[in-house]
Amino acid sequence: NSISDLKLTALTTSGKIKLIDSKGDYALRSTSGDITIQKCVGALTVTSSSGKIIMNNTEGPLNLTNLSGDISIIQHQGTIVTESTSGKQTLETITGDITAKSASALIKISKAVGNLKLKSFSGTISLFDIKGMIYSDSGAGDQTGAQIT
Protein backbone atom coordinates (compact mmCIF):
# COMPACT_ATOMS: atom_id res chain seq x y z
CA ASN A 1 0.00 0.00 0.00
CA SER A 2 1.28 3.49 -0.95
CA ILE A 3 4.60 2.33 -2.45
CA SER A 4 6.50 4.79 -4.65
CA ASP A 5 9.40 4.57 -7.13
CA LEU A 6 9.91 0.86 -6.66
CA LYS A 7 10.57 -2.11 -8.92
CA LEU A 8 8.68 -4.98 -7.32
CA THR A 9 8.38 -8.67 -8.16
CA ALA A 10 5.84 -10.68 -6.14
CA LEU A 11 4.97 -14.39 -6.43
CA THR A 12 2.35 -16.43 -4.61
CA THR A 13 0.91 -19.90 -5.05
CA SER A 14 -2.53 -19.51 -3.48
CA GLY A 15 -2.37 -16.25 -1.52
CA LYS A 16 -3.77 -12.91 -2.64
CA ILE A 17 -1.71 -9.97 -3.89
CA LYS A 18 -3.07 -6.44 -3.38
CA LEU A 19 -1.36 -3.31 -4.69
CA ILE A 20 -3.03 -0.02 -3.73
CA ASP A 21 -2.17 3.64 -4.39
CA SER A 22 1.37 2.96 -5.63
CA LYS A 23 3.82 4.10 -8.33
CA GLY A 24 6.54 2.01 -9.95
CA ASP A 25 7.15 -1.04 -12.12
CA TYR A 26 5.59 -4.30 -10.99
CA ALA A 27 5.76 -7.96 -11.98
CA LEU A 28 3.08 -9.94 -10.12
CA ARG A 29 2.43 -13.67 -10.44
CA SER A 30 -0.10 -15.97 -8.78
CA THR A 31 -1.02 -19.58 -9.37
CA SER A 32 -4.53 -19.51 -7.88
CA GLY A 33 -4.82 -16.43 -5.66
CA ASP A 34 -6.51 -13.23 -6.79
CA ILE A 35 -4.48 -10.17 -7.77
CA THR A 36 -6.09 -6.77 -7.05
CA ILE A 37 -4.57 -3.47 -8.20
CA GLN A 38 -6.15 -0.07 -7.42
CA LYS A 39 -5.04 3.52 -8.01
CA CYS A 40 -1.60 2.57 -9.35
CA VAL A 41 0.70 4.20 -11.91
CA GLY A 42 3.50 2.36 -13.71
CA ALA A 43 4.32 -0.63 -15.87
CA LEU A 44 2.47 -3.75 -14.73
CA THR A 45 3.09 -7.34 -15.80
CA VAL A 46 0.57 -9.68 -14.18
CA THR A 47 0.32 -13.45 -14.63
CA SER A 48 -2.18 -15.86 -13.10
CA SER A 49 -3.21 -19.44 -13.73
CA SER A 50 -6.68 -19.41 -12.19
CA GLY A 51 -7.07 -16.45 -9.82
CA LYS A 52 -8.92 -13.29 -10.78
CA ILE A 53 -7.02 -10.20 -11.95
CA ILE A 54 -8.92 -7.09 -10.86
CA MET A 55 -7.68 -3.61 -11.78
CA ASN A 56 -9.31 -0.26 -11.07
CA ASN A 57 -8.11 3.29 -11.76
CA THR A 58 -4.65 2.50 -13.14
CA GLU A 59 -2.23 4.20 -15.53
CA GLY A 60 0.69 2.89 -17.59
CA PRO A 61 1.42 -0.09 -19.84
CA LEU A 62 -0.32 -3.34 -18.83
CA ASN A 63 0.61 -6.87 -19.85
CA LEU A 64 -1.83 -9.41 -18.36
CA THR A 65 -1.99 -13.18 -18.82
CA ASN A 66 -4.58 -15.37 -17.12
CA LEU A 67 -5.29 -18.94 -18.15
CA SER A 68 -8.67 -19.71 -16.55
CA GLY A 69 -9.35 -16.79 -14.20
CA ASP A 70 -11.20 -13.62 -15.15
CA ILE A 71 -9.56 -10.30 -16.03
CA SER A 72 -11.36 -7.08 -15.07
CA ILE A 73 -9.93 -3.63 -15.88
CA ILE A 74 -12.04 -0.60 -14.99
CA GLN A 75 -10.75 2.93 -15.73
CA HIS A 76 -7.26 2.70 -17.22
CA GLN A 77 -4.99 5.06 -19.18
CA GLY A 78 -2.26 3.41 -21.26
CA THR A 79 -1.67 0.46 -23.53
CA ILE A 80 -3.13 -2.92 -22.59
CA VAL A 81 -2.13 -6.40 -23.73
CA THR A 82 -4.26 -9.27 -22.38
CA GLU A 83 -4.35 -13.00 -23.02
CA SER A 84 -6.59 -15.70 -21.58
CA THR A 85 -7.65 -19.25 -22.30
CA SER A 86 -11.05 -19.66 -20.63
CA GLY A 87 -11.32 -16.66 -18.28
CA LYS A 88 -13.50 -13.79 -19.48
CA GLN A 89 -12.02 -10.35 -20.05
CA THR A 90 -13.94 -7.19 -19.14
CA LEU A 91 -12.40 -3.80 -19.98
CA GLU A 92 -14.29 -0.57 -19.31
CA THR A 93 -13.43 3.14 -19.53
CA ILE A 94 -10.07 2.71 -21.26
CA THR A 95 -7.92 5.37 -22.93
CA GLY A 96 -5.16 3.67 -24.94
CA ASP A 97 -4.58 0.89 -27.45
CA ILE A 98 -5.80 -2.61 -26.55
CA THR A 99 -4.54 -5.97 -27.78
CA ALA A 100 -6.66 -8.82 -26.43
CA LYS A 101 -6.54 -12.54 -27.19
CA SER A 102 -8.82 -15.32 -25.89
CA ALA A 103 -9.21 -18.98 -26.71
CA SER A 104 -12.80 -19.62 -25.58
CA ALA A 105 -13.94 -16.83 -23.24
CA LEU A 106 -15.81 -13.56 -23.69
CA ILE A 107 -13.88 -10.36 -24.47
CA LYS A 108 -16.09 -7.40 -23.50
CA ILE A 109 -14.83 -3.85 -24.09
CA SER A 110 -16.86 -0.72 -23.42
CA LYS A 111 -16.19 3.03 -23.28
CA ALA A 112 -12.77 2.80 -24.93
CA VAL A 113 -10.78 5.36 -26.92
CA GLY A 114 -7.88 3.82 -28.84
CA ASN A 115 -7.08 1.20 -31.42
CA LEU A 116 -8.19 -2.39 -30.78
CA LYS A 117 -6.56 -5.60 -32.00
CA LEU A 118 -8.72 -8.53 -30.89
CA LYS A 119 -8.47 -12.27 -31.50
CA SER A 120 -10.76 -15.02 -30.26
CA PHE A 121 -10.84 -18.66 -31.32
CA SER A 122 -14.32 -19.54 -30.04
CA GLY A 123 -15.30 -16.85 -27.51
CA THR A 124 -17.61 -13.90 -28.11
CA ILE A 125 -16.25 -10.40 -28.72
CA SER A 126 -18.61 -7.66 -27.47
CA LEU A 127 -17.89 -3.95 -28.08
CA PHE A 128 -19.81 -0.87 -26.88
CA ASP A 129 -19.00 2.84 -27.18
CA ILE A 130 -15.64 2.48 -28.94
CA LYS A 131 -13.69 5.28 -30.66
CA GLY A 132 -10.76 4.08 -32.78
CA MET A 133 -9.58 1.56 -35.35
CA ILE A 134 -10.68 -2.04 -34.76
CA TYR A 135 -9.10 -5.23 -36.04
CA SER A 136 -11.20 -8.14 -34.82
CA ASP A 137 -10.67 -11.80 -35.73
CA SER A 138 -12.66 -14.76 -34.44
CA GLY A 139 -13.00 -18.39 -35.40
CA ALA A 140 -16.34 -19.66 -34.11
CA GLY A 141 -17.23 -16.87 -31.66
CA ASP A 142 -19.79 -14.12 -32.24
CA GLN A 143 -18.82 -10.48 -32.70
CA THR A 144 -21.24 -7.75 -31.60
CA GLY A 145 -20.87 -4.00 -31.35
CA ALA A 146 -22.82 -0.78 -30.81
CA GLN A 147 -21.96 2.93 -30.80
CA ILE A 148 -18.66 2.46 -32.61
CA THR A 149 -16.90 5.47 -34.17
Side-chain angles (χ1 to χ4, degrees), residues 13-28:
T13 300
S14 61
K16 295 179 181 180
I17 297 174
K18 287 187 178 182
L19 187 61
I20 300 170
D21 195 23
S22 298
K23 295 179 182 178
D25 295 335
Y26 305 100
L28 310 175

Side-chain angles (χ1 to χ4, degrees), residues 4-136:
S4 188
D5 297 324
L6 181 68
K7 287 190 176 190
L8 174 70
T9 300
L11 170 63
T12 183
T13 300
S14 61
K16 295 179 181 180
I17 297 174
K18 287 187 178 182
L19 187 61
I20 300 170
D21 195 23
S22 298
K23 295 179 182 178
D25 295 335
Y26 305 100
L28 310 175
R29 184 182 182 109
S30 173
T31 302
S32 63
D34 294 348
I35 298 173
T36 303
I37 301 165
Q38 298 175 355
K39 297 181 183 176
C40 291
V41 176
L44 288 157
T45 301
V46 181
T47 305
S48 179
S49 295
S50 62
K52 294 178 185 174
I53 298 174
I54 302 163
M55 305 188 71
N56 188 353
N57 196 11
T58 54
E59 184 179 334
L62 299 181
N63 191 332
L64 311 177
T65 303
N66 201 348
L67 296 178
S68 62
D70 293 347
I71 294 172
S72 174
I73 305 169
I74 308 297
Q75 196 171 343
H76 178 77
Q77 292 183 356
T79 60
I80 298 174
V81 177
T82 63
E83 186 170 351
S84 67
T85 302
S86 60
K88 73 178 177 180
Q89 299 181 36
T90 305
L91 291 79
E92 182 179 325
T93 313
I94 309 296
T95 303
D97 294 345
I98 300 169
T99 301
K101 183 176 169 182
S102 173
S104 61
L106 168 70
I107 297 174
K108 181 179 179 183
I109 303 173
S110 58
K111 300 178 186 174
V113 177
N115 298 321
L116 309 182
K117 185 176 181 182
L118 312 172
K119 183 166 181 107
S120 176
F121 294 100
S122 63
T124 297
I125 295 173
S126 176
L127 305 174
F128 176 76
D129 193 9
I130 307 295
K131 293 179 178 77
M133 300 285 292
I134 300 171
Y135 172 80
S136 184

